[in-house]
C-alpha cells in the first residue's frame, strides 16, 4: 500500500438530501448507498458563479476518461433567491451542458452537512462511502484525477470498486430557434445578431426578431477559425459592432475574443490563447499570446474594445491599433470597492454599455450598476455588496437589483439594466439618482438593444427576443429585499483564528523556488469589523481581532498556494496554482467558534 493511501484521512460521508430532487437521472432518486462501489465527486455549485462554471468545464475530461468508475454529482446550492427555483436550476443544467446528475438543494441542507463555505467546492468520496478529500475553488482537477487513479487501484485490489454505466440520463432536446441566447446587437441593415450561447453559434435574425437570416458557426463546442459553416465557438456571449462593420465576439468558454466579418462570413481570433488566465499569467501583451478568463461582454469605448472579464473580476481592453490587450481596472479580488482602476474591486462584470463620458457595467455578483470615467476611476450607482440583493425602486442609494447581466444606454442619458434574476428591465437616471422598473415578466433577461422607439430584450430563459415599447411611466413593483440564503457563521467576539487548510496533492510539494509558496489576503465589510489582521501575508494561518460592536459583517479571504511535482529527476516539473476567494458572512456571538477553518485543498484535521 502506498504512503499516500496509508496517510489518507477518511470521514464518513453524510447523506445527500435536497428538497428540489434530482435532475439528469430520468426521474430516479439516489442515495449514497446506491452509489456505493463508485468514486463519487460532489460538485457544490450555484449557477450564478463563474468559478463554478469553470469547474464544470474542468470536469468534462475527467468524467469522460473515468466514466465507468467515477460519478460526478452536482449539488446545486443557491446564493440568490432566484437560484432556489427548481425550474431555474433545470434551465441552468441545460444552459451549461451539465452531463451528470444534479441534486437541487434549495435549503442548503447538504451544503451544511458537508460544512462547505465556498462556491465551488469539490468533495471526493471513496467507493466505501468515506470523504477522502475536499477542494475549494477551481484548478484542482489535476489533483483529483491523481487521487482517482489511486482510489481505482486501491479499491480494485480490495474488491470494493464497482465499474459500469453511471446514473446520468440526458434530457430530451427542445426544438426552439434559439437556446438560452446571451447577448444581441442591432446591425446596420436592421437585423439582429444574437449569441446563441448553448448551441455555440451566432444567429442573424430578421428585423422581426424571429426569422433566421444566417447562422455563423458549426453549432458544436470548439475553437476553430474559418467560414460560417466550419468555425466553432464555445458558449459565446457579448457582441460589439465596430465602425468597419465587423463584430467582436466574447467567446466565453474559449477565453478568447473572435472577429466576425459579416460580409465574408469569416471568423478569426483577435485575442486569447484558448487557455484560462491564472495568477502569474501576463496582464498585457500581444493579444494572441495573452491568456484571458471568461470574457462575458465587449464594448467599443475610447478607441478600444473593452472587455468584461467575468472570470477574474476585472476590465481589460483590446487595442486594434497595435493588437495588444491589457488590464484596465480591477485587482482580481471579488467585491465592491470604488476608486482608481488599479484599486477597484469587481464581482463578475457581465454587461457593458458605452456613452461618451462613461462606460457602464453590470457587476452581477454584487447586484450592482457601476461605471468607469474616462480617467479610469470606478463608481457605483446601485448596489451594496456580495450578499445584498432584491427588487427595490427609488433612490439609487437604497435601490436593489438581483444579479443583472446587461446594461443598455438610452437616448435621454439614462440606462436600462437587464435585471436578470428579477426577470425585469430596470432604469437608472443619473440626473435624478432614481431607479425605476420599466417592465416585468421577462424570463432571465440578459441584454437589450435599442431599435427606434422600441427596446428589444434578450429573454434568455424563454429562448427569444422580445420587443417592448419604451414606457413613459414606470411599473409599480412591491419592494423585496434579500440576503444570501447562506447563514452567517457564528464566531467569537474578540479574537478569531483563521486557518486556511492546504495540503499539496500527492506527489507534489510547495513551490518556493521564486519566493513564498503561499499568500493570504484578508479584509472585511464593513472595514470596522477587523481591528487587527487585515492585509496580505504569506502564512495561511492568522489571528484576527474583531470589533465587538460590529455584530455582523463579511470576512473577505483570498488564499493562494503553489505546488510542483516532487521528483528531483523531473527536469520540467508540472506546477499548479491553487487559489480561492471566500466571502464569509459572520455574526459575532458570545458562544461562537474561536477558529474559522477554510479548506483550500485537503482535509481539515
Amino acid at each position: 500500500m502506498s504512503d499516500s493511501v496509508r496517510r489518507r484521512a477518511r470521514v464518513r460521508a453524510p447523506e445527500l438530501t435536497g428538497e428540489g430532487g434530482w435532475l439528469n437521472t430520468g426521474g430516479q432518486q439516489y442515495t449514497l448507498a446506491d452509489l456505493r462501489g463508485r468514486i463519487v465527486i460532489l460538485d457544490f455549485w450555484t449557477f450564478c458563479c463563474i468559478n463554478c462554471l469553470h469547474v464544470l468545464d474542468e470536469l468534462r475530461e475527467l468524467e469522460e476518461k473515468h466514466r465507468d468508475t467515477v460519478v460526478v454529482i452536482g449539488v446545486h446550492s443557491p446564493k440568490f433567491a432566484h437560484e432556489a427555483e427548481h425550474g431555474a436550476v433545470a434551465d441552468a443544467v441545460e444552459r451549461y451542458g451539465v452531463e451528470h446528475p444534479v441534486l437541487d438543494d434549495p435549503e442548503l441542507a447538504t451544503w451544511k452537512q458537508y460544512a462547505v463555505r465556498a462556491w465551488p467546492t469539490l468533495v471526493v468520496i471513496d467507493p466505501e462511502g468515506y470523504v477522502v478529500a475536499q477542494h475549494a475553488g477551481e484548478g484542482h482537477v489535476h489533483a483529483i484525477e491523481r487521487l482517482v487513479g489511486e482510489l481505482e487501484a486501491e479499491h480494485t485490489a480490495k474488491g470494493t470498486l464497482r465499474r459500469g454505466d453511471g446514473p446520468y440520463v440526458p434530457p430530451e432536446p427542445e426544438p426552439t430557434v434559439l437556446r438560452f441566447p446571451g447577448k444581441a446587437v442591432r446591425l446596420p441593415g436592421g437585423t439582429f445578431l444574437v449569441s446563441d450561447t448553448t448551441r455555440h453559434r451566432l444567429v442573424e435574425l430578421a428585423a422581426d426578431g424571429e426569422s433566421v437570416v444566417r447562422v455563423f458557426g458549426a453549432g458544436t463546442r470548439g475553437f476553430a477559425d474559418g467560414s460560417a459553416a466550419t468555425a466553432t465557438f464555445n458558449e459565446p456571449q457579448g457582441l460589439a459592432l465596430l465602425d468597419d462593420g465587423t463584430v467582436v465576439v466574447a467567446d466565453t468558454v474559449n477565453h478568447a475574443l473572435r472577429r466576425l466579418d459579416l460580409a465574408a462570413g469569416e471568423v478569426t481570433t483577435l485575442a486569447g490563447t484558448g487557455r484560462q488566465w491564472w495568477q502569474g499569467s501576463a496582464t498585457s501583451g500581444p493579444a494572441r499570446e495573452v491568456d484571458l478568463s471568461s470574457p462575458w461582454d465587449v464594448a467599443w469605448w475610447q478607441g478600444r474594445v473593452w472587455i468584461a472579464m467575468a472570470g477574474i473580476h476585472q476590465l481589460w481592453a483590446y487595442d486594434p491599433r497595435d493588437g495588444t490587450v491589457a488590464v484596465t481596472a480591477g485587482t482580481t479580488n471579488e467585491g465592491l470597492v470604488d476608486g482608481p482602476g488599479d484599486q477597484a474591486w469587481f464581482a463578475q462584470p457581465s454587461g457593458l454599455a458605452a456613452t461618451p463620458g462613461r462606460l457602464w457595467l453590470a457587476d452581477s455578483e454584487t447586484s450592482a450598476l457601476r461605471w468607469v470615467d474616462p480617467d479610469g476611476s470606478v463608481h457605483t450607482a446601485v448596489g451594496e455588496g456580495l450578499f445584498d440583493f432584491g427588487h427595490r425602486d427609488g433612490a439609487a442609494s437604497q435601490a436593489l437589483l438581483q444579479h443583472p447581466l446587461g446594461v443598455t444606454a438610452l437616448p435621454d442619458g439614462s440606462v436600462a439594466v437587464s435585471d436578470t434574476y428579477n426577470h425585469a428591465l430596470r432604469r437608472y437616471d443619473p440626473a435624478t439618482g432614481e431607479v425605476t422598473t420599466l417592465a416585468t415578466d421577462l424570463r432571465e433577461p440578459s441584454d437589450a438593444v435599442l431599435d427606434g422607439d422600441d427596446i428589444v430584450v434578450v429573454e434568455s430563459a424563454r429562448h427569444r427576443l422580445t420587443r417592448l415599447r419604451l414606457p413613459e411611466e414606470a411599473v409599480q413593483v412591491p419592494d423585496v429585499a434579500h440576503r444570501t440564503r447562506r447563514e452567517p457563521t457564528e464566531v467569537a467576539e474578540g479574537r478569531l483564528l483563521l486557518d486556511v487548510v492546504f495540503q499539496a496533492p500527492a506527489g507534489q510539494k510547495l513551490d518556493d523556488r521564486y519566493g513564498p509558496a503561499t499568500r493570504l489576503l484578508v479584509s472585511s465589510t464593513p472595514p470596522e469589523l477587523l481591528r487587527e489582521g487585515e492585509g496580505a501575508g504569506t502564512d495561511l494561518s492568522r489571528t484576527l481581532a474583531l470589533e465587538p460592536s460590529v455584530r455582523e459583517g463579511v470576512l473577505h479571504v483570498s488564499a493562494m498556494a503553489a505546488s510542483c511535482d516532487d521528483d528531483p529527476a523531473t527536469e520540467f516539473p508540472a506546477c499548479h496554482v491553487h487559489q480561492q476567494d471566500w466571502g464569509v458572512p459572520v455574526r459575532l456571538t458570545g458562544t461562537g467558534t474561536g477558529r474559522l477553518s477554510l479548506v483550500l485543498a485537503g482535509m481539515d484535521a
Side-chain angles (χ1 to χ4, degrees):
M1 185 179 294
S2 70
D3 289 343
S4 61
V5 171
R6 280 197 298 268
R7 289 198 308 266
R8 190 181 301 130
R10 299 203 312 169
V11 176
R12 175 62 70 178
E15 190 51 82
L16 306 178
T17 58
E19 289 189 3
W22 290 80
L23 295 161
N24 280 358
T25 63
Q28 180 72 34
Q29 308 295 302
Y30 283 94
T31 67
L32 279 177
D34 298 324
L35 303 172
R36 197 64 47 82
R38 310 299 290 274
I39 300 164
V40 177
I41 300 173
L42 303 182
D43 176 17
F44 289 87
W45 71 298
T46 188
F47 63 78
C48 70
C49 160
I50 190 67
N51 309 93
C52 300
L53 304 186
H54 290 166
V55 167
L56 288 176
D57 293 318
E58 290 176 359
L59 286 171
R60 295 185 200 281
E61 186 176 341
L62 183 147
E63 290 180 86
E64 179 62 28
K65 183 177 179 180
H66 300 273
R67 61 190 312 167
D68 66 333
T69 58
V70 171
V71 174
V72 176
I73 303 290
V75 183
H76 190 268
S77 312
K79 171 185 174 182
F80 288 99
H82 171 58
E83 294 175 310
E85 299 174 13
H86 183 74
V89 179
D91 281 348
V93 167
E94 180 188 351
R95 180 195 302 268
Y96 297 116
V98 179
E99 296 184 353
H100 52 246
V102 173
L103 174 64
D104 181 13
D105 183 18
E107 300 300 324
L108 301 179
T110 298
W111 166 287
K112 294 170 189 174
Q113 286 293 313
Y114 281 82
V116 175
R117 298 189 186 276
W119 295 278
T121 291
L122 296 170
V123 175
V124 181
I125 301 172
D126 73 13
E128 294 178 293
Y130 289 89
V131 174
V132 292
Q134 183 169 326
H135 301 265
E138 51 185 298
H140 299 291
V141 170
H142 70 282
I144 291 175
E145 180 155 21
R146 183 162 187 156
L147 175 57
V148 164
E150 291 182 358
L151 292 172
E152 286 176 340
E154 175 187 348
H155 289 275
T156 296
K158 292 175 67 175
T160 49
L161 184 69
R162 176 168 56 88
R163 296 177 180 268
D165 292 334
Y168 169 64
V169 177
E172 289 293 324
E174 296 286 341
T176 54
V177 173
L178 303 173
R179 205 67 190 161
F180 297 104
K183 305 286 185 181
V185 65
R186 186 182 182 276
L187 300 179
T191 59
F192 298 94
L193 186 67
V194 184
S195 53
D196 193 14
T197 304
T198 296
R199 291 188 175 140
H200 315 294
R201 62 183 189 169
L202 310 178
V203 177
E204 184 181 356
L205 298 178
D208 62 8
E210 298 178 4
S211 306
V212 175
V213 177
R214 288 187 291 177
V215 173
F216 303 94
T220 55
R221 287 185 191 271
F223 188 15
D225 291 341
S227 68
T230 61
T232 52
F233 300 93
N234 199 342
E235 297 184 25
Q237 286 281 350
L239 305 167
L241 179 66
L242 304 188
D243 292 340
D244 64 2
T246 63
V247 175
V248 177
V249 183
D251 194 6
T252 305
V253 179
N254 277 330
H255 311 295
L257 296 189
R258 315 292 290 282
R259 175 184 180 270
L260 170 61
D261 184 328
L262 288 164
E266 289 288 322
V267 176
T268 53
T269 299
L270 287 179
T273 62
R275 297 184 301 271
Q276 184 182 337
W277 188 97
W278 288 97
Q279 288 292 344
S281 301
T283 55
S284 64
R288 292 292 305 273
E289 300 174 15
V290 176
D291 299 339
L292 308 181
S293 182
S294 297
W296 206 274
D297 203 4
V298 282
W300 178 254
W301 191 55
Q302 296 186 321
R304 293 183 291 176
V305 176
W306 286 64
I307 309 163
M309 202 72 77
I312 45 176
H313 319 299
Q314 289 182 316
L315 298 180
W316 288 45
Y318 166 75
D319 191 333
R321 292 167 296 189
D322 58 9
T324 60
V325 290
V327 176
T328 54
T331 64
T332 75
N333 294 109
E334 184 179 15
L336 195 154
V337 177
D338 290 340
D342 61 355
Q343 299 174 26
W345 290 22
F346 300 100
Q348 221 167 291
S350 301
L352 298 174
T355 63
R358 293 182 178 182
L359 179 71
W360 293 96
L361 67 106
D363 205 26
S364 61
E365 279 295 290
T366 51
S367 297
L369 172 66
R370 306 176 75 183
W371 83 86
V372 182
D373 278 339
D375 68 3
S377 57
V378 179
H379 310 265
T380 297
V382 182
E384 299 182 7
L386 285 167
F387 298 106
D388 296 278
F389 53 92
H391 192 148
R392 181 192 290 152
D393 288 334
S397 59
Q398 56 84 56
L400 295 173
L401 309 169
Q402 187 180 179
H403 196 80
L405 289 178
V407 58
T408 307
L410 300 180
D412 63 358
S414 66
V415 292
V417 179
S418 296
D419 194 5
T420 309
Y421 288 3
N422 279 329
H423 311 300
L425 191 67
R426 312 286 291 282
R427 175 177 179 263
Y428 169 68
D429 187 349
T432 63
E434 292 287 312
V435 175
T436 54
T437 297
L438 296 177
T440 57
D441 191 31
L442 297 167
R443 189 70 182 169
E444 292 192 15
S446 54
D447 195 19
V449 293
L450 287 174
D451 186 24
D453 294 330
D454 295 342
I455 190 164
V456 178
V457 181
V458 180
E459 276 199 273
S460 187
R462 283 200 177 113
H463 320 293
R464 71 188 189 192
L465 302 188
T466 299
R467 182 179 294 272
L468 304 172
R469 180 57 53 94
L470 277 170
E472 295 181 2
E473 295 186 2
V475 178
Q476 298 299 311
V477 178
D479 289 351
V480 177
H482 299 287
R483 295 208 80 214
T484 176
R485 302 176 70 84
R486 177 181 172 187
E487 294 178 1
T489 299
E490 294 193 352
V491 298
E493 300 166 339
R495 305 192 79 76
L496 174 69
L497 176 63
L498 172 64
D499 269 339
V500 174
V501 176
F502 177 76
Q503 296 157 3
Q508 294 200 333
K509 64 178 181 179
L510 286 174
D511 178 20
D512 54 6
R513 294 172 298 166
Y514 308 108
T518 58
R519 182 176 181 270
L520 180 66
L521 176 67
V522 181
S523 62
S524 67
T525 304
E528 297 77 22
L529 174 63
L530 273 177
R531 295 172 62 181
E532 297 175 19
E534 184 179 10
T538 58
D539 194 339
L540 292 182
S541 182
R542 186 182 302 181
T543 299
L544 311 178
L546 306 181
E547 172 53 54
S549 64
V550 181
R551 306 309 296 175
E552 287 198 22
V554 178
L555 289 175
H556 301 281
V557 180
S558 178
M560 184 275 290
S563 65
C564 282
D565 288 344
D566 186 15
D567 184 353
T570 302
E571 184 177 1
F572 300 106
C575 299
H576 302 275
V577 175
H578 314 257
Q579 182 176 3
Q580 173 64 12
D581 296 334
W582 291 267
V584 184
V586 296
R587 179 184 298 130
L588 277 62
T589 70
T591 57
T593 181
R595 176 178 179 264
L596 177 61
S597 170
L598 303 176
V599 177
L600 178 59
M603 296 280 285
D604 183 11

